[in-house]
Amino acid sequence: MSQIILGTGRYAGKPYFVEKFYINLYSVEELCYLLVEKAEMLDQEIMLRELVQWLDEECGLNQLAHALYSLLNQNGSTAAFAGIILEYVGLYPADVVLRTEEIIRGNEGLGPCERRKAKADYMLQNGRYYGALKQYYALLTQLGETDRVLTAQVHHNMGVAYAKLFMFRQASERFREAFELDGAKESLALYLTSVRMYSKDKEYVAFIADHPEYHNASLQVERRIEQAEGQFEATDENRMLFTLQVFREEGSSLIGNETPYYQEIERLTAELKGRYREYVS
């Protein structure tokens, strides 16, 4: 038997739009889910009187709203704000509420640049690569040369975003910048991987020959690529491609008709294009 979850307050007729996460909330339970799942991203931007007013007027949670208004008047913390809501609703056990408060409390000490990076990182993790790159570029203009470590992290994550967009030349430039700033081995490995992805075999071999300091790292890259190729062989996508190849060969030799093969290729290509459009939207 499934567990019944009793709602707190009422379902809002007018949703509350959380600009930071681009979502509409229709109930206090949805707000609780947001507080727990996105705790790493929360800051004082969530502590708005408009949100408290929405809980009061749209969700009918007068007592909760009164407690939150009192906290706002006392300039309380974001962690306390979230804790009051979570404890009032009781959707999560005490240990989850405590952990959420601790995460939010830890983020309250972040500076403006670190907060902006956290926002860009959130976009990157959720596949909004162009949005993340826009935030990272803006952040670089703020950082200048004041924080080499944070700047290196920004360049590295920009490289990840570009690589996700299959823009490997741009990705390599960002990974190289990150490596030159902090000397991280992972940035170097991804720099060489990106170069290998957009270069022809002879060009890449010549590149490594011209940079003997990268020799050991290039061996690591080759091992990674071999491992990735081995993992790909076991995927559904590879099995589908193999089946299609057999389909084409048998279709050609038996009936001289490759139409089903090309129809399936077009379907698969359209599906991949759809995924790509979601990434870059």
Side-chain angles (χ1 to χ4, degrees):
M1 179 181 294
S2 60
Q3 182 179 3
I4 298 176
I5 299 177
L6 299 178
T8 302
R10 60 173 179 262
Y11 196 76
K14 179 181 178 182
Y16 181 80
F17 179 66
V18 185
E19 184 176 0
K20 187 181 186 73
F21 301 105
Y22 301 95
I23 61 172
N24 282 319
L25 300 179
Y26 287 89
S27 68
V28 70
E29 285 80 15
E30 292 179 355
L31 174 59
C32 289
Y33 179 82
L34 177 72
L35 294 175
V36 172
E37 296 299 320
K38 309 300 181 186
E40 294 84 354
M41 290 291 297
L42 297 179
D43 52 32
Q44 290 185 334
E45 293 179 6
I46 198 70
M47 296 177 60
L48 297 175
R49 290 187 178 273
E50 291 82 358
L51 173 58
V52 180
Q53 183 178 0
W54 175 79
L55 289 169
D56 187 5
E57 298 178 358
E58 292 293 331
C59 299
L61 299 171
N62 310 107
Q63 291 183 341
L64 175 59
H66 179 76
L68 294 174
Y69 277 131
S70 177
L71 181 70
L72 291 177
N73 292 334
Q74 298 173 22
N75 295 319
S77 68
T78 308
F81 186 86
I84 289 175
I85 297 172
L86 292 172
E87 290 176 7
Y88 182 90
V89 178
L91 186 63
Y92 293 94
D95 61 321
V96 174
V97 175
L98 180 61
R99 185 176 71 248
T100 301
E101 290 180 297
E102 290 176 349
I103 293 172
I104 298 173
R105 191 175 295 111
N107 291 339
E108 289 179 326
L110 297 179
C113 291
E114 293 170 315
R115 290 183 185 278
R116 188 157 200 169
K117 179 181 176 295
K119 181 178 181 179
D121 291 346
Y122 174 80
M123 291 181 173
L124 176 62
Q125 294 165 6
N126 287 271
R128 294 169 53 197
Y129 304 127
Y130 278 127
L133 286 169
K134 183 178 179 180
Q135 291 293 327
Y136 287 134
Y137 274 114
L139 181 54
L140 286 178
T141 62
Q142 289 182 264
L143 287 171
E145 299 181 0
T146 59
D147 192 330
R148 290 176 63 89
V149 174
L150 189 58
T151 302
Q153 293 173 354
V154 171
H155 280 295
H156 181 96
N157 289 357
M158 291 177 74
V160 173
Y162 275 123
K164 292 286 188 178
L165 293 168
F166 307 104
M167 301 169 69
F168 295 111
R169 189 178 297 274
Q170 292 89 333
S172 69
E173 295 171 358
R174 293 300 162 180
F175 288 130
R176 178 179 54 79
E177 291 277 1
F179 173 68
E180 291 178 354
L181 283 168
D182 65 3
K185 293 181 179 180
E186 182 63 16
S187 294
L188 174 59
L190 293 177
Y191 166 54
L192 297 179
T193 303
S194 300
V195 173
R196 193 182 189 281
M197 291 299 294
Y198 73 75
S199 302
K200 296 180 180 179
D201 290 344
K202 291 183 178 179
E203 293 174 343
Y204 180 72
V205 171
F207 170 78
I208 296 299
D210 291 338
H211 296 85
E213 69 274 19
Y214 296 155
H215 177 71
N216 290 336
S218 69
L219 296 178
Q220 178 188 0
V221 168
E222 294 306 311
R223 286 194 293 269
R224 285 188 179 186
I225 291 176
E226 290 177 2
Q227 183 180 10
E229 289 175 345
Q231 292 174 345
F232 177 72
E233 290 179 358
T235 63
D236 292 336
E237 287 81 0
N238 182 58
R239 285 192 286 269
M240 180 183 294
L241 291 173
F242 177 77
T243 301
L244 287 175
Q245 183 178 0
V246 173
F247 190 14
R248 181 183 63 174
E249 292 174 353
E250 291 181 350
S252 295
S253 60
L254 295 176
I255 59 177
N257 183 7
E258 296 185 357
T259 300
Y261 166 80
Y262 287 112
Q263 286 178 344
E264 189 62 20
I265 286 293
E266 289 179 1
R267 187 196 64 79
L268 180 60
T269 303
E271 180 180 338
L272 294 174
K273 286 181 178 179
R275 294 181 189 175
Y276 184 75
R277 292 190 189 98
E278 291 179 0
Y279 288 148
V280 302
S281 60

